[in-house]
């Protein structure tokens, strides 16, 4: 052990913490700084929500099943890890998704981006929205932009621009896969700030989105070609691929598994106290744990207590594998969304083996259903068998699937979906400011703070690493 080496403790072994560890190690080596990194993870495995089950030639994601290619932090990390050849895109032959409306599946109209219509004719023809609802949405073309920079809820914004029917029938179910939240409680600035920017620049959300849709992806030529052709990407052997490669690269990092931090003390340096009483000394700390855990660690700072206001929703993913010969139906879509008003248990269903050709062996179909959202957390008390039964019932009612699945996999993602409240961005600026004042060289990163997607978490981990290493110079 080098007495002159700077000691870094990273709390949390999800993709945020692993990315932070990777970049601290890389940046320190580039600058010839000596650091000793210890990563503390409360569970017995790394990767957090990223977990791929590879079984009987099926590939099942227990958490997210893809990432956005246009958010290039993950492409940068992919290239630095030498994983470019492992990237896979969604099946280009797969048709668009559907939305359930009055018990019937309707194809998503062409030109819809994040629930916003960008083409007039498909929107006029869709049966998802009533004539009155379409007329109300068209008012977006003439309504003035709201003045000021005050935050508002995502739901209030969409309702104000496009009307309640578009919000409830299209926008809310489409975006629930990202946040599983109540759109009337989610901060616009912290979830879709581009919507507000479009309103300010173009006045009309539809016009702004249409102009943006006409542009090229904007992904630099330095990135793999596959990233320019598909909105969503994954890895040939699943999202756990990036976790496994990060673990390989972090060969000099000390991992403390099955423990969580109970206290961070500030002396001349820092003392991180673990639940088992072990003490870790640190010159700097990166806190990549959920917001409610960080709030407890730094409870002496008044503004940090606000982190308790970030609610976390639990969701379940239920994967079901069938023989094609047992399904007796032809479905070419990538899946369907279920608005809350339809009264079903599932909120969506992805035909994984249609969307991702590599996820099931020939002759089989792999489906993934989703249960749980803000305001509907009763499922947490259900057994795995009851969850499978509930998903199967909805699939029978909606798709006529009566066959018994050959294999099932239930994933309980407890407190996994942070809900950014109105004013989140401003509150987080205050939290970070006060934390840097009272706990210098302590940094926050992760889904609870500045973006829930995998690329967002990687970008936050890298930014925390850059700030940390800069503080050592």
């Amino acid at each position: 052990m080098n007495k002159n080496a700077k000691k870094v403790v990273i709390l949390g072994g999800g993709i945020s913490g692993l990315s932070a560890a990777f970049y601290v190690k890389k940046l320190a080596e580039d600058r010839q700084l000596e650091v000793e990194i210890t990563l503390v993870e409360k569970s017995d495995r790394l990767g957090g929500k990223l977990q791929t089950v590879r079984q009987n030639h099926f590939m099942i994601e227990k958490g997210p099943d893809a990432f956005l290619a246009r958010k290039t932090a993950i492409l940068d990390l992919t290239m630095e890890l030498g994983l470019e050849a492992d990237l896979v895109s969604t099946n280009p032959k797969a048709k668009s998704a559907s939305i359930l409306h009055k018990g019937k599946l309707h194809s998503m109209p062409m030109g819809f981006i994040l629930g916003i219509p960008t083409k007039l004719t498909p929107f006029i023809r869709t049966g998802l929205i009533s004539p009155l609802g379409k007329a109300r949405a068209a008012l977006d073309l003439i309504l003035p932009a709201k003045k000021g920079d005050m935050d508002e809820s995502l739901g209030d914004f969409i309702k104000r621009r496009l009307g309640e029917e578009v919000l409830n029938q299209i926008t809310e179910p489409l975006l629930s896969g990202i946040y599983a939240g109540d759109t009337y409680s989610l901060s616009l600035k912290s979830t879709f700030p581009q919507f507000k920017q479009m309103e300010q620049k173009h006045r009309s959300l539809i016009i702004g989105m249409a102009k943006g849709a006409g542009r090229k992806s904007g992904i630099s030529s330095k990135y793999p070609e596959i990233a320019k052709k598909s909105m969503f990407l994954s890895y040939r052997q699943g999202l756990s691929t990036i976790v496994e490669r990060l673990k390989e690269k972090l060969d000099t990092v000390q991992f403390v598994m099955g423990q969580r931090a109970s206290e961070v003390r500030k002396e001349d340096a820092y003392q991180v106290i673990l639940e088992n009483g072990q003490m870790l000394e640190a010159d700097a700390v990166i806190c990549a744990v959920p917001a409610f855990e960080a709030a407890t660690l730094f409870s002496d700072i008044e503004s940090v207590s606000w982190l308790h206001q970030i609610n976390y929703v639990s969701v379940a993913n239920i994967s079901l594998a069938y023989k094609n010969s047992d399904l007796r139906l032809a479905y070419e879509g990538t899946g369907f969304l279920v608005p809350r008003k339809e009264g079903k248990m599932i909120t969506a269903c992805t035909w994984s083996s249609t969307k991702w050709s590599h996820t099931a062996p020939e002759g089989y179909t792999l489906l993934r259903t989703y249960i749980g959202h803000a305001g509907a957390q009763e499922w947490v008390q259900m057994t795995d068998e009851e969850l499978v039964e509930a998903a199967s019932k909805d699939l029978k009612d909606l798709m006529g699937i009566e066959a018994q699945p050959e294999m099932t996999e239930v994933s309980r993602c407890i407190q996994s979906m942070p809900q950014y409240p109105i004013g989140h961005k401003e509150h987080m600026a205050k939290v970070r400011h006060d934390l840097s004042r009272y706990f210098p060289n302590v940094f926050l990163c992760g889904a609870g703070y500045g973006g829930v997607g995998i690329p967002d978490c990687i970008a936050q981990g890298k930014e925390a690493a850059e700030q940390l290493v800069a503080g050592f110079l």
Side-chain angles (χ1 to χ4, degrees):
M1 185 175 292
N2 187 340
K3 292 184 179 180
N4 295 321
K6 295 289 188 179
K7 296 180 176 61
V8 176
V9 172
I10 296 174
L11 305 178
I15 191 62
S16 303
L18 290 172
S19 299
F22 173 81
Y23 282 113
V24 168
K25 180 175 182 287
K26 182 177 185 297
L27 292 169
E29 289 173 350
D30 291 346
R31 291 158 176 75
Q32 297 184 322
L33 291 172
E34 295 187 76
V35 296
E36 292 175 357
I37 305 171
T38 301
L39 188 147
V40 180
E41 166 54 39
K42 63 186 177 184
S43 71
D44 60 357
R45 53 171 290 273
L46 297 171
K49 294 188 285 290
L50 303 190
Q51 185 179 7
T52 309
V53 174
R54 303 161 184 139
Q55 181 178 333
N56 299 330
H57 303 290
F58 288 97
M59 195 168 302
I60 298 171
E61 298 289 0
K62 293 177 72 67
D65 71 344
F67 58 84
L68 269 174
R70 64 178 174 80
K71 293 193 172 184
T72 55
I74 190 167
L75 296 179
D76 290 328
L77 182 56
T78 295
M79 294 170 69
E80 288 172 306
L81 295 173
L83 293 173
E84 303 98 305
D86 294 87
L87 289 171
V88 291
S89 65
T90 52
N91 180 4
K93 297 180 180 179
K95 294 186 178 179
S96 65
S98 301
I99 297 181
L100 187 68
H101 180 48
K102 295 182 179 180
K104 182 180 178 182
L105 292 176
H106 295 255
S107 294
M108 182 80 72
M110 293 288 291
F112 261 71
I113 301 175
L114 294 174
I116 314 300
T118 63
K119 294 182 179 179
L120 185 60
T121 301
F123 181 60
I124 292 174
R125 291 177 176 174
T126 183
L128 283 168
I129 305 296
S130 70
L132 188 61
K134 293 170 185 175
R136 171 60 186 86
L139 288 178
D140 171 77
L141 297 169
I142 59 173
L143 286 172
K146 184 177 182 180
K147 295 181 180 180
D149 193 41
M150 290 290 290
D151 198 8
E152 63 183 308
S153 78
L154 175 61
D156 283 327
F157 176 83
I158 297 297
K159 181 180 177 181
R160 176 167 61 78
R161 295 305 318 178
L162 300 171
E164 190 170 14
E165 195 172 337
V166 169
L167 170 67
N168 293 338
Q169 189 54 42
I170 297 179
T171 310
E172 187 275 332
L174 192 64
L175 302 183
S176 68
I178 304 173
Y179 294 98
D182 175 4
T183 56
Y184 287 111
S185 299
L186 289 172
S187 159
L188 175 67
K189 280 188 178 182
S190 296
T191 54
F192 292 93
Q194 66 268 39
F195 288 174
K196 181 68 174 179
Q197 293 162 6
M198 286 177 186
E199 181 187 36
Q200 294 300 314
K201 183 177 180 179
H202 301 284
R203 182 183 49 76
S204 162
L205 188 59
I206 294 175
I207 292 173
M209 188 65 80
K211 288 186 176 181
R215 298 174 188 160
K216 294 184 179 180
S217 67
I219 295 179
S220 168
S221 58
K222 75 174 183 178
Y223 294 114
E225 195 64 25
I226 192 173
K228 304 167 192 174
K229 296 179 178 179
S230 178
M231 180 178 294
F232 296 102
L233 297 174
S234 183
Y235 300 100
R236 200 169 307 281
Q237 293 299 314
L239 290 174
S240 282
T241 299
I242 196 169
V243 175
E244 292 156 1
R245 182 60 61 88
L246 280 167
K247 178 69 186 301
E248 291 175 11
K249 294 292 185 180
L250 298 175
D251 53 337
T252 59
V253 172
Q254 178 186 357
F255 291 93
V256 179
M257 306 297 293
Q259 288 293 319
R260 77 173 75 205
S262 59
E263 186 180 358
V264 177
R265 298 174 186 166
K266 183 176 180 294
E267 305 293 342
D268 291 335
Y270 292 104
Q271 295 176 341
V272 180
I273 313 301
L274 306 186
E275 283 182 322
N276 64 358
Q278 181 182 357
M279 183 186 76
L280 303 174
E281 292 189 354
D283 296 294
V285 177
I286 291 179
C287 189
V289 298
F292 52 85
E293 291 186 22
T296 301
L297 292 175
F298 306 103
S299 56
D300 289 344
I301 305 176
E302 184 178 355
S303 63
V304 175
S305 64
W306 178 84
L307 295 177
H308 284 299
Q309 301 299 314
I310 304 173
N311 183 39
Y312 280 68
V313 170
S314 300
V315 296
N317 302 322
I318 300 100
S319 294
L320 308 100
Y322 299 90
K323 287 182 179 178
N324 290 349
S325 57
D326 290 339
L327 287 180
R328 295 173 184 161
L329 76 145
Y331 182 72
E332 297 179 343
T334 57
F336 57 88
L337 305 169
V338 182
R340 300 186 189 203
K341 64 183 181 59
E342 293 294 325
K344 298 298 181 182
M345 190 75 176
I346 64 174
T347 60
C349 174
T350 298
W351 285 63
S352 299
S353 51
T354 301
K355 185 177 179 181
W356 304 98
S357 332
H358 64 288
T359 58
E362 188 174 351
Y364 287 84
T365 293
L366 179 65
L367 306 184
R368 187 163 97 143
T369 60
Y370 305 79
I371 286 177
H373 54 74
Q377 297 290 278
E378 300 83 2
W379 71 266
V380 175
Q381 307 302 323
M382 297 170 66
T383 65
D384 285 1
E385 291 75 17
E386 289 171 334
L387 289 173
V388 170
E389 183 179 351
S392 298
K393 180 183 183 302
D394 282 353
L395 289 175
K396 179 180 178 181
D397 292 343
L398 301 176
M399 304 294 299
I401 298 177
E402 298 185 358
Q404 291 297 311
E406 296 286 309
M407 180 181 70
T408 62
E409 181 74 34
V410 176
S411 175
R412 296 171 178 268
C413 304
I414 305 299
Q415 290 185 299
S416 62
M417 309 288 276
Q419 311 290 294
Y420 298 154
I422 298 169
H424 177 84
K425 185 176 180 181
E426 291 78 9
H427 280 292
M428 279 306 308
K430 173 66 172 171
V431 168
R432 293 187 191 278
H433 173 270
D434 290 353
L435 191 63
S436 67
R437 178 182 175 188
Y438 296 106
F439 284 80
N441 290 326
V442 172
F443 307 95
L444 298 175
C445 67
Y449 312 105
V452 300
I454 301 171
D456 298 306
C457 292
I458 291 171
Q460 292 178 70
K462 183 178 183 180
E463 182 179 5
E466 291 171 341
Q467 292 173 338
L468 183 151
V469 172
F472 286 161
L473 294 174

